[in-house]
Amino acid sequence: MPRFLRRLAAASCAVGLATAALASCATESHGVDVSGDWVAQPGVSAVEPEASLLVFGDSWTFGLASTTVTGGYAYRTGAILGWATTVNGENGSGYLRGGEYGGFYGTRVAELDPDLDPDVVVIQGSINDRAQPLSALPRAARAVWRAVEATYPDAELVILGPAPSMLPVDESIESIDDVLAELAAEEGLSYISPIDDEWITTSNYDTVIDASASGYNHPSDDGHAYLAEKLVSELQDTDTAAHISARK
Protein backbone atom coordinates (compact mmCIF):
# COMPACT_ATOMS: atom_id res chain seq x y z
CA MET A 1 0.00 0.00 0.00
CA PRO A 2 1.39 3.44 -0.88
CA ARG A 3 2.80 5.38 2.05
CA PHE A 4 0.36 8.29 1.78
CA LEU A 5 -2.54 5.87 2.53
CA ARG A 6 -1.04 4.48 5.69
CA ARG A 7 -2.79 5.26 8.93
CA LEU A 8 -0.62 7.25 11.37
CA ALA A 9 -2.29 5.81 14.42
CA ALA A 10 0.30 6.65 17.05
CA ALA A 11 1.78 9.92 15.89
CA SER A 12 -0.97 11.80 14.06
CA CYS A 13 -4.54 12.89 14.72
CA ALA A 14 -7.36 12.23 12.29
CA VAL A 15 -8.61 15.76 12.00
CA GLY A 16 -12.01 14.81 10.64
CA LEU A 17 -13.02 13.54 14.07
CA ALA A 18 -14.97 15.56 16.62
CA THR A 19 -13.09 17.84 18.99
CA ALA A 20 -12.77 15.16 21.65
CA ALA A 21 -10.54 13.22 19.30
CA LEU A 22 -8.81 16.34 18.03
CA ALA A 23 -7.80 17.29 21.54
CA SER A 24 -5.66 14.16 21.72
CA CYS A 25 -3.24 15.52 19.09
CA ALA A 26 0.44 16.11 19.82
CA THR A 27 0.05 19.78 20.81
CA GLU A 28 -0.50 20.18 24.54
CA SER A 29 -3.10 22.60 25.84
CA HIS A 30 -0.68 24.49 28.16
CA GLY A 31 -3.64 25.88 30.07
CA VAL A 32 -5.65 26.93 27.02
CA ASP A 33 -9.25 25.69 26.80
CA VAL A 34 -9.56 22.79 24.37
CA SER A 35 -13.04 21.74 25.42
CA GLY A 36 -15.01 23.53 22.68
CA ASP A 37 -17.15 21.92 20.03
CA TRP A 38 -15.53 22.93 16.73
CA VAL A 39 -15.56 19.99 14.32
CA ALA A 40 -14.20 19.34 10.86
CA GLN A 41 -15.92 20.45 7.68
CA PRO A 42 -18.96 18.32 6.69
CA GLY A 43 -18.13 15.48 4.38
CA VAL A 44 -14.51 15.12 5.49
CA SER A 45 -13.74 11.52 6.38
CA ALA A 46 -11.03 10.56 8.85
CA VAL A 47 -11.28 6.83 8.13
CA GLU A 48 -8.59 6.76 5.47
CA PRO A 49 -6.83 10.12 5.04
CA GLU A 50 -5.17 10.72 1.69
CA ALA A 51 -2.05 12.20 3.25
CA SER A 52 -0.45 13.27 6.50
CA LEU A 53 0.49 16.80 7.50
CA LEU A 54 2.77 18.29 10.15
CA VAL A 55 2.36 22.01 10.90
CA PHE A 56 5.19 23.47 12.96
CA GLY A 57 5.38 27.04 14.22
CA ASP A 58 4.65 29.61 16.88
CA SER A 59 1.53 30.78 18.76
CA TRP A 60 -0.43 31.20 15.53
CA THR A 61 0.12 27.50 14.84
CA PHE A 62 -0.60 26.66 18.46
CA GLY A 63 -3.99 28.31 18.09
CA LEU A 64 -3.64 31.06 20.68
CA ALA A 65 -6.80 33.26 20.91
CA SER A 66 -9.03 30.71 19.17
CA THR A 67 -11.92 29.53 21.34
CA THR A 68 -10.38 26.09 21.30
CA VAL A 69 -6.82 25.18 20.35
CA THR A 70 -8.15 22.61 17.90
CA GLY A 71 -10.03 25.40 16.17
CA GLY A 72 -6.72 26.93 15.08
CA TYR A 73 -5.82 27.30 11.42
CA ALA A 74 -3.44 24.33 11.43
CA TYR A 75 -6.11 21.84 12.52
CA ARG A 76 -8.67 23.42 10.21
CA THR A 77 -6.29 23.13 7.27
CA GLY A 78 -5.94 19.41 7.82
CA ALA A 79 -9.69 19.03 8.23
CA ILE A 80 -10.48 20.80 4.97
CA LEU A 81 -7.93 18.68 3.11
CA GLY A 82 -8.98 15.48 4.87
CA TRP A 83 -5.40 14.81 5.96
CA ALA A 84 -4.22 13.26 9.20
CA THR A 85 -2.63 16.24 10.94
CA THR A 86 -0.14 16.80 13.72
CA VAL A 87 0.31 20.32 15.11
CA ASN A 88 3.43 21.50 16.92
CA GLY A 89 3.25 25.13 18.06
CA GLU A 90 4.82 26.99 20.97
CA ASN A 91 3.79 30.46 22.05
CA GLY A 92 6.59 33.02 21.63
CA SER A 93 8.92 30.66 19.79
CA GLY A 94 10.89 31.55 16.68
CA TYR A 95 14.02 30.70 14.73
CA LEU A 96 16.00 33.08 16.94
CA ARG A 97 13.79 33.41 20.03
CA GLY A 98 12.97 30.92 22.76
CA GLY A 99 9.27 30.45 23.40
CA GLU A 100 7.05 30.05 26.42
CA TYR A 101 8.80 26.81 27.34
CA GLY A 102 12.25 27.83 26.13
CA GLY A 103 11.99 26.21 22.73
CA PHE A 104 13.71 27.71 19.72
CA TYR A 105 12.69 26.28 16.35
CA GLY A 106 16.03 24.51 16.18
CA THR A 107 15.74 22.79 19.56
CA ARG A 108 12.10 21.89 18.96
CA VAL A 109 12.81 20.37 15.55
CA ALA A 110 15.44 18.17 17.16
CA GLU A 111 12.70 16.81 19.44
CA LEU A 112 10.27 15.85 16.66
CA ASP A 113 9.22 12.22 16.48
CA PRO A 114 11.32 10.65 13.70
CA ASP A 115 8.66 7.97 13.21
CA LEU A 116 5.95 10.51 12.36
CA ASP A 117 6.83 10.33 8.66
CA PRO A 118 4.51 13.08 7.30
CA ASP A 119 3.86 13.60 3.60
CA VAL A 120 3.85 17.40 3.95
CA VAL A 121 5.55 19.65 6.53
CA VAL A 122 4.58 23.32 6.87
CA ILE A 123 6.93 25.51 8.92
CA GLN A 124 5.23 28.78 9.88
CA GLY A 125 6.54 32.12 11.19
CA SER A 126 7.86 33.84 12.94
CA ILE A 127 7.11 37.43 13.94
CA ASN A 128 8.68 36.54 17.28
CA ASP A 129 12.09 37.08 15.68
CA ARG A 130 11.40 40.77 14.99
CA ALA A 131 13.54 42.00 17.91
CA GLN A 132 16.39 39.58 17.18
CA PRO A 133 19.52 40.20 15.06
CA LEU A 134 18.26 39.24 11.61
CA SER A 135 21.80 38.71 10.38
CA ALA A 136 21.59 35.38 12.21
CA LEU A 137 18.26 34.38 10.64
CA PRO A 138 19.51 32.76 7.40
CA ARG A 139 21.82 30.38 9.23
CA ALA A 140 19.20 29.49 11.84
CA ALA A 141 16.41 28.97 9.32
CA ARG A 142 18.57 26.92 6.99
CA ALA A 143 19.60 24.67 9.89
CA VAL A 144 15.95 24.15 10.87
CA TRP A 145 14.81 23.36 7.35
CA ARG A 146 17.64 20.96 6.69
CA ALA A 147 17.05 19.21 10.00
CA VAL A 148 13.41 18.69 9.02
CA GLU A 149 14.49 17.36 5.62
CA ALA A 150 16.93 14.99 7.29
CA THR A 151 14.29 13.75 9.72
CA TYR A 152 11.57 13.40 7.07
CA PRO A 153 13.41 12.92 3.76
CA ASP A 154 10.26 11.89 1.88
CA ALA A 155 8.17 14.87 2.98
CA GLU A 156 7.36 17.96 0.93
CA LEU A 157 8.59 20.98 2.93
CA VAL A 158 6.64 24.24 2.62
CA ILE A 159 7.67 27.47 4.34
CA LEU A 160 4.88 29.77 5.52
CA GLY A 161 6.25 33.21 6.28
CA PRO A 162 5.13 35.53 9.08
CA ALA A 163 1.73 37.23 8.93
CA PRO A 164 1.19 40.67 10.48
CA SER A 165 -0.55 40.91 13.83
CA MET A 166 -0.87 44.69 13.46
CA LEU A 167 -1.10 47.14 10.58
CA PRO A 168 0.75 48.75 9.00
CA VAL A 169 3.19 45.86 8.80
CA ASP A 170 6.26 46.48 10.91
CA GLU A 171 9.44 46.89 8.86
CA SER A 172 11.22 44.23 10.91
CA ILE A 173 8.53 41.69 10.03
CA GLU A 174 8.80 42.63 6.37
CA SER A 175 12.53 42.04 6.67
CA ILE A 176 11.96 38.59 8.16
CA ASP A 177 9.66 37.78 5.26
CA ASP A 178 12.22 38.99 2.72
CA VAL A 179 15.04 36.99 4.30
CA LEU A 180 13.02 33.78 4.48
CA ALA A 181 11.66 34.17 0.95
CA GLU A 182 15.15 34.63 -0.49
CA LEU A 183 16.53 31.73 1.51
CA ALA A 184 13.67 29.42 0.49
CA ALA A 185 14.37 30.24 -3.15
CA GLU A 186 18.03 29.38 -2.65
CA GLU A 187 17.06 26.09 -1.01
CA GLY A 188 14.50 25.25 -3.70
CA LEU A 189 11.58 25.26 -1.27
CA SER A 190 8.02 26.47 -1.75
CA TYR A 191 7.47 29.75 0.08
CA ILE A 192 4.14 31.33 0.99
CA SER A 193 4.15 35.02 1.95
CA PRO A 194 0.98 36.21 3.71
CA ILE A 195 2.49 39.71 3.57
CA ASP A 196 3.15 39.85 -0.18
CA ASP A 197 -0.14 38.09 -0.89
CA GLU A 198 -1.98 40.54 1.39
CA TRP A 199 -3.83 37.97 3.47
CA ILE A 200 -4.45 40.59 6.16
CA THR A 201 -5.46 44.09 5.11
CA THR A 202 -7.23 47.08 6.60
CA SER A 203 -10.47 45.81 5.09
CA ASN A 204 -10.44 42.45 6.92
CA TYR A 205 -8.16 43.11 9.89
CA ASP A 206 -10.96 43.45 12.45
CA THR A 207 -12.42 40.13 11.33
CA VAL A 208 -9.16 38.20 11.15
CA ILE A 209 -7.31 39.55 14.20
CA ASP A 210 -8.59 39.67 17.78
CA ALA A 211 -7.13 42.95 19.04
CA SER A 212 -8.83 42.73 22.44
CA ALA A 213 -6.87 42.34 25.68
CA SER A 214 -7.58 38.61 25.68
CA GLY A 215 -6.80 38.14 22.00
CA TYR A 216 -3.17 39.32 22.11
CA ASN A 217 -3.46 40.48 18.47
CA HIS A 218 -3.80 36.90 17.31
CA PRO A 219 -6.29 35.38 14.86
CA SER A 220 -9.88 35.11 16.06
CA ASP A 221 -11.98 32.02 15.35
CA ASP A 222 -13.05 33.61 12.07
CA GLY A 223 -9.44 34.55 11.47
CA HIS A 224 -8.21 30.99 11.91
CA ALA A 225 -10.92 29.74 9.55
CA TYR A 226 -9.86 32.34 6.98
CA LEU A 227 -6.16 31.51 7.33
CA ALA A 228 -6.91 27.81 6.88
CA GLU A 229 -8.76 28.53 3.63
CA LYS A 230 -5.86 30.64 2.38
CA LEU A 231 -3.29 27.99 3.27
CA VAL A 232 -5.31 25.21 1.65
CA SER A 233 -5.53 27.26 -1.54
CA GLU A 234 -1.78 27.89 -1.50
CA LEU A 235 -0.96 24.23 -0.88
CA GLN A 236 -3.14 23.22 -3.79
CA ASP A 237 -1.36 25.74 -6.01
CA THR A 238 2.15 24.54 -5.12
CA ASP A 239 3.92 21.31 -5.99
CA THR A 240 2.44 19.73 -2.87
CA ALA A 241 -0.53 18.16 -4.64
CA ALA A 242 1.73 16.72 -7.33
CA HIS A 243 4.10 15.45 -4.67
CA ILE A 244 1.31 13.46 -3.04
CA SER A 245 -0.31 12.35 -6.29
CA ALA A 246 2.98 10.86 -7.43
CA ARG A 247 2.71 8.34 -4.60
CA LYS A 248 -0.69 6.99 -5.62
Side-chain angles (χ1 to χ4, degrees), residues 221-241:
D221 288 338
D222 288 342
H224 278 289
Y226 168 76
L227 293 173
E229 291 174 358
K230 298 296 285 186
L231 179 55
V232 166
S233 177
E234 290 288 345
L235 289 175
Q236 292 173 336
D237 287 343
T238 65
D239 294 333
T240 303

PDB file of all heavy atoms in Angstrom, residues 221-241:
ATOM      1  N   ASP A 221     -11.457  33.249  15.943  1.00  0.00           N
ATOM      2  CA  ASP A 221     -11.985  32.017  15.351  1.00  0.00           C
ATOM      3  C   ASP A 221     -12.222  32.203  13.854  1.00  0.00           C
ATOM      4  O   ASP A 221     -11.848  31.341  13.045  1.00  0.00           O
ATOM      5  CB  ASP A 221     -13.294  31.620  16.039  1.00  0.00           C
ATOM      6  CG  ASP A 221     -13.082  31.104  17.449  1.00  0.00           C
ATOM      7  OD1 ASP A 221     -11.962  30.669  17.767  1.00  0.00           O
ATOM      8  OD2 ASP A 221     -14.042  31.127  18.238  1.00  0.00           O
ATOM      9  N   ASP A 222     -12.841  33.333  13.487  1.00  0.00           N
ATOM     10  CA  ASP A 222     -13.050  33.613  12.069  1.00  0.00           C
ATOM     11  C   ASP A 222     -11.717  33.781  11.352  1.00  0.00           C
ATOM     12  O   ASP A 222     -11.571  33.377  10.191  1.00  0.00           O
ATOM     13  CB  ASP A 222     -13.890  34.875  11.899  1.00  0.00           C
ATOM     14  CG  ASP A 222     -15.347  34.671  12.271  1.00  0.00           C
ATOM     15  OD1 ASP A 222     -15.787  33.506  12.331  1.00  0.00           O
ATOM     16  OD2 ASP A 222     -16.044  35.685  12.493  1.00  0.00           O
ATOM     17  N   GLY A 223     -10.749  34.365  12.056  1.00  0.00           N
ATOM     18  CA  GLY A 223      -9.436  34.545  11.467  1.00  0.00           C
ATOM     19  C   GLY A 223      -8.744  33.230  11.178  1.00  0.00           C
ATOM     20  O   GLY A 223      -8.138  33.050  10.114  1.00  0.00           O
ATOM     21  N   HIS A 224      -8.819  32.302  12.125  1.00  0.00           N
ATOM     22  CA  HIS A 224      -8.205  30.988  11.909  1.00  0.00           C
ATOM     23  C   HIS A 224      -8.874  30.254  10.751  1.00  0.00           C
ATOM     24  O   HIS A 224      -8.197  29.594   9.946  1.00  0.00           O
ATOM     25  CB  HIS A 224      -8.276  30.155  13.189  1.00  0.00           C
ATOM     26  CG  HIS A 224      -7.192  30.466  14.171  1.00  0.00           C
ATOM     27  ND1 HIS A 224      -5.876  30.111  13.965  1.00  0.00           N
ATOM     28  CD2 HIS A 224      -7.225  31.111  15.371  1.00  0.00           C
ATOM     29  CE1 HIS A 224      -5.141  30.509  14.997  1.00  0.00           C
ATOM     30  NE2 HIS A 224      -5.934  31.118  15.860  1.00  0.00           N
ATOM     31  N   ALA A 225     -10.198  30.371  10.658  1.00  0.00           N
ATOM     32  CA  ALA A 225     -10.918  29.743   9.552  1.00  0.00           C
ATOM     33  C   ALA A 225     -10.462  30.343   8.221  1.00  0.00           C
ATOM     34  O   ALA A 225     -10.246  29.623   7.229  1.00  0.00           O
ATOM     35  CB  ALA A 225     -12.425  29.915   9.733  1.00  0.00           C
ATOM     36  N   TYR A 226     -10.316  31.642   8.193  1.00  0.00           N
ATOM     37  CA  TYR A 226      -9.865  32.337   6.979  1.00  0.00           C
ATOM     38  C   TYR A 226      -8.441  31.923   6.613  1.00  0.00           C
ATOM     39  O   TYR A 226      -8.152  31.627   5.438  1.00  0.00           O
ATOM     40  CB  TYR A 226      -9.939  33.840   7.228  1.00  0.00           C
ATOM     41  CG  TYR A 226      -9.250  34.698   6.201  1.00  0.00           C
ATOM     42  CD1 TYR A 226      -9.817  34.941   4.951  1.00  0.00           C
ATOM     43  CD2 TYR A 226      -8.010  35.294   6.488  1.00  0.00           C
ATOM     44  CE1 TYR A 226      -9.180  35.746   4.025  1.00  0.00           C
ATOM     45  CE2 TYR A 226      -7.368  36.107   5.560  1.00  0.00           C
ATOM     46  CZ  TYR A 226      -7.957  36.323   4.328  1.00  0.00           C
ATOM     47  OH  TYR A 226      -7.323  37.115   3.401  1.00  0.00           O
ATOM     48  N   LEU A 227      -7.543  31.887   7.593  1.00  0.00           N
ATOM     49  CA  LEU A 227      -6.158  31.510   7.325  1.00  0.00           C
ATOM     50  C   LEU A 227      -6.068  30.073   6.807  1.00  0.00           C
ATOM     51  O   LEU A 227      -5.246  29.765   5.936  1.00  0.00           O
ATOM     52  CB  LEU A 227      -5.318  31.662   8.589  1.00  0.00           C
ATOM     53  CG  LEU A 227      -5.122  33.096   9.096  1.00  0.00           C
ATOM     54  CD1 LEU A 227      -4.409  33.084  10.445  1.00  0.00           C
ATOM     55  CD2 LEU A 227      -4.354  33.941   8.088  1.00  0.00           C
ATOM     56  N   ALA A 228      -6.901  29.202   7.349  1.00  0.00           N
ATOM     57  CA  ALA A 228      -6.913  27.814   6.875  1.00  0.00           C
ATOM     58  C   ALA A 228      -7.313  27.747   5.401  1.00  0.00           C
ATOM     59  O   ALA A 228      -6.694  27.023   4.608  1.00  0.00           O
ATOM     60  CB  ALA A 228      -7.871  26.981   7.716  1.00  0.00           C
ATOM     61  N   GLU A 229      -8.329  28.515   5.021  1.00  0.00           N
ATOM     62  CA  GLU A 229      -8.758  28.528   3.625  1.00  0.00           C
ATOM     63  C   GLU A 229      -7.648  29.054   2.716  1.00  0.00           C
ATOM     64  O   GLU A 229      -7.423  28.525   1.619  1.00  0.00           O
ATOM     65  CB  GLU A 229     -10.012  29.388   3.483  1.00  0.00           C
ATOM     66  CG  GLU A 229     -11.248  28.785   4.145  1.00  0.00           C
ATOM     67  CD  GLU A 229     -12.435  29.732   4.108  1.00  0.00           C
ATOM     68  OE1 GLU A 229     -12.265  30.864   3.595  1.00  0.00           O
ATOM     69  OE2 GLU A 229     -13.518  29.341   4.574  1.00  0.00           O
ATOM     70  N   LYS A 230      -6.954  30.090   3.176  1.00  0.00           N
ATOM     71  CA  LYS A 230      -5.863  30.643   2.378  1.00  0.00           C
ATOM     72  C   LYS A 230      -4.724  29.634   2.229  1.00  0.00           C
ATOM     73  O   LYS A 230      -4.158  29.472   1.139  1.00  0.00           O
ATOM     74  CB  LYS A 230      -5.346  31.929   3.022  1.00  0.00           C
ATOM     75  CG  LYS A 230      -6.362  33.051   3.129  1.00  0.00           C
ATOM     76  CD  LYS A 230      -6.825  33.546   1.773  1.00  0.00           C
ATOM     77  CE  LYS A 230      -5.784  34.389   1.100  1.00  0.00           C
ATOM     78  NZ  LYS A 230      -6.297  34.990  -0.175  1.00  0.00           N
ATOM     79  N   LEU A 231      -4.382  28.954   3.326  1.00  0.00           N
ATOM     80  CA  LEU A 231      -3.289  27.990   3.271  1.00  0.00           C
ATOM     81  C   LEU A 231      -3.653  26.800   2.394  1.00  0.00           C
ATOM     82  O   LEU A 231      -2.825  26.322   1.609  1.00  0.00           O
ATOM     83  CB  LEU A 231      -2.924  27.519   4.686  1.00  0.00           C
ATOM     84  CG  LEU A 231      -1.791  26.488   4.776  1.00  0.00           C
ATOM     85  CD1 LEU A 231      -0.527  26.989   4.088  1.00  0.00           C
ATOM     86  CD2 LEU A 231      -1.503  26.149   6.238  1.00  0.00           C
ATOM     87  N   VAL A 232      -4.875  26.322   2.507  1.00  0.00           N
ATOM     88  CA  VAL A 232      -5.313  25.212   1.653  1.00  0.00           C
ATOM     89  C   VAL A 232      -5.179  25.597   0.185  1.00  0.00           C
ATOM     90  O   VAL A 232      -4.665  24.822  -0.635  1.00  0.00           O
ATOM     91  CB  VAL A 232      -6.768  24.812   1.976  1.00  0.00           C
ATOM     92  CG1 VAL A 232      -7.327  23.903   0.883  1.00  0.00           C
ATOM     93  CG2 VAL A 232      -6.836  24.112   3.316  1.00  0.00           C
ATOM     94  N   SER A 233      -5.625  26.791  -0.155  1.00  0.00           N
ATOM     95  CA  SER A 233      -5.529  27.255  -1.536  1.00  0.00           C
ATOM     96  C   SER A 233      -4.082  27.304  -2.004  1.00  0.00           C
ATOM     97  O   SER A 233      -3.763  26.875  -3.126  1.00  0.00           O
ATOM     98  CB  SER A 233      -6.173  28.641  -1.661  1.00  0.00           C
ATOM     99  OG  SER A 233      -6.045  29.147  -2.974  1.00  0.00           O
ATOM    100  N   GLU A 234      -3.205  27.796  -1.141  1.00  0.00           N
ATOM    101  CA  GLU A 234      -1.784  27.886  -1.504  1.00  0.00           C
ATOM    102  C   GLU A 234      -1.173  26.499  -1.676  1.00  0.00           C
ATOM    103  O   GLU A 234      -0.401  26.258  -2.610  1.00  0.00           O
ATOM    104  CB  GLU A 234      -1.029  28.666  -0.439  1.00  0.00           C
ATOM    105  CG  GLU A 234      -1.348  30.150  -0.396  1.00  0.00           C
ATOM    106  CD  GLU A 234      -0.762  30.914  -1.567  1.00  0.00           C
ATOM    107  OE1 GLU A 234       0.114  30.367  -2.261  1.00  0.00           O
ATOM    108  OE2 GLU A 234      -1.178  32.065  -1.785  1.00  0.00           O
ATOM    109  N   LEU A 235      -1.507  25.582  -0.780  1.00  0.00           N
ATOM    110  CA  LEU A 235      -0.956  24.232  -0.883  1.00  0.00           C
ATOM    111  C   LEU A 235      -1.412  23.550  -2.161  1.00  0.00           C
ATOM    112  O   LEU A 235      -0.654  22.812  -2.791  1.00  0.00           O
ATOM    113  CB  LEU A 235      -1.375  23.396   0.334  1.00  0.00           C
ATOM    114  CG  LEU A 235      -0.731  23.762   1.668  1.00  0.00           C
ATOM    115  CD1 LEU A 235      -1.324  22.926   2.795  1.00  0.00           C
ATOM    116  CD2 LEU A 235       0.775  23.581   1.627  1.00  0.00           C
ATOM    117  N   GLN A 236      -2.630  23.818  -2.551  1.00  0.00           N
ATOM    118  CA  GLN A 236      -3.140  23.216  -3.786  1.00  0.00           C
ATOM    119  C   GLN A 236      -2.509  23.841  -5.019  1.00  0.00           C
ATOM    120  O   GLN A 236      -2.492  23.220  -6.082  1.00  0.00           O
ATOM    121  CB  GLN A 236      -4.670  23.351  -3.829  1.00  0.00           C
ATOM    122  CG  GLN A 236      -5.362  22.505  -2.778  1.00  0.00           C
ATOM    123  CD  GLN A 236      -6.857  22.768  -2.701  1.00  0.00           C
ATOM    124  OE1 GLN A 236      -7.334  23.838  -3.079  1.00  0.00           O
ATOM    125  NE2 GLN A 236      -7.602  21.788  -2.212  1.00  0.00           N
ATOM    126  N   ASP A 237      -1.980  25.063  -4.879  1.00  0.00           N
ATOM    127  CA  ASP A 237      -1.356  25.741  -6.009  1.00  0.00           C
ATOM    128  C   ASP A 237       0.142  25.474  -6.112  1.00  0.00           C
ATOM    129  O   ASP A 237       0.771  25.852  -7.100  1.00  0.00           O
ATOM    130  CB  ASP A 237      -1.576  27.260  -5.907  1.00  0.00           C
ATOM    131  CG  ASP A 237      -3.006  27.651  -6.229  1.00  0.00           C
ATOM    132  OD1 ASP A 237      -3.721  26.825  -6.828  1.00  0.00           O
ATOM    133  OD2 ASP A 237      -3.408  28.771  -5.852  1.00  0.00           O
ATOM    134  N   THR A 238       0.724  24.848  -5.092  1.00  0.00           N
ATOM    135  CA  THR A 238       2.153  24.544  -5.120  1.00  0.00           C
ATOM    136  C   THR A 238       2.376  23.137  -5.655  1.00  0.00           C
ATOM    137  O   THR A 238       1.458  22.488  -6.149  1.00  0.00           O
ATOM    138  CB  THR A 238       2.771  24.664  -3.717  1.00  0.00           C
ATOM    139  OG1 THR A 238       2.197  23.647  -2.866  1.00  0.00           O
ATOM    140  CG2 THR A 238       2.501  26.038  -3.113  1.00  0.00           C
ATOM    141  N   ASP A 239       3.594  22.662  -5.538  1.00  0.00           N
ATOM    142  CA  ASP A 239       3.915  21.306  -5.992  1.00  0.00           C
ATOM    143  C   ASP A 239       3.453  20.245  -5.000  1.00  0.00           C
ATOM    144  O   ASP A 239       3.670  19.050  -5.240  1.00  0.00           O
ATOM    145  CB  ASP A 239       5.430  21.162  -6.204  1.00  0.00           C
ATOM    146  CG  ASP A 239       5.931  22.020  -7.344  1.00  0.00           C
ATOM    147  OD1 ASP A 239       5.126  22.305  -8.252  1.00  0.00           O
ATOM    148  OD2 ASP A 239       7.122  22.397  -7.328  1.00  0.00           O
ATOM    149  N   THR A 240       2.831  20.673  -3.907  1.00  0.00           N
ATOM    150  CA  THR A 240       2.441  19.732  -2.867  1.00  0.00           C
ATOM    151  C   THR A 240       1.483  18.673  -3.384  1.00  0.00           C
ATOM    152  O   THR A 240       1.638  17.483  -3.113  1.00  0.00           O
ATOM    153  CB  THR A 240       1.785  20.465  -1.686  1.00  0.00           C
ATOM    154  OG1 THR A 240       2.710  21.440  -1.192  1.00  0.00           O
ATOM    155  CG2 THR A 240       1.436  19.504  -0.569  1.00  0.00           C
ATOM    156  N   ALA A 241       0.449  19.105  -4.120  1.00  0.00           N
ATOM    157  CA  ALA A 241      -0.532  18.156  -4.643  1.00  0.00           C
ATOM    158  C   ALA A 241       0.134  17.138  -5.576  1.00  0.00           C
ATOM    159  O   ALA A 241      -0.144  15.939  -5.504  1.00  0.00           O
ATOM    160  CB  ALA A 241      -1.644  18.905  -5.359  1.00  0.00           C
TER     161      ALA A 241
END
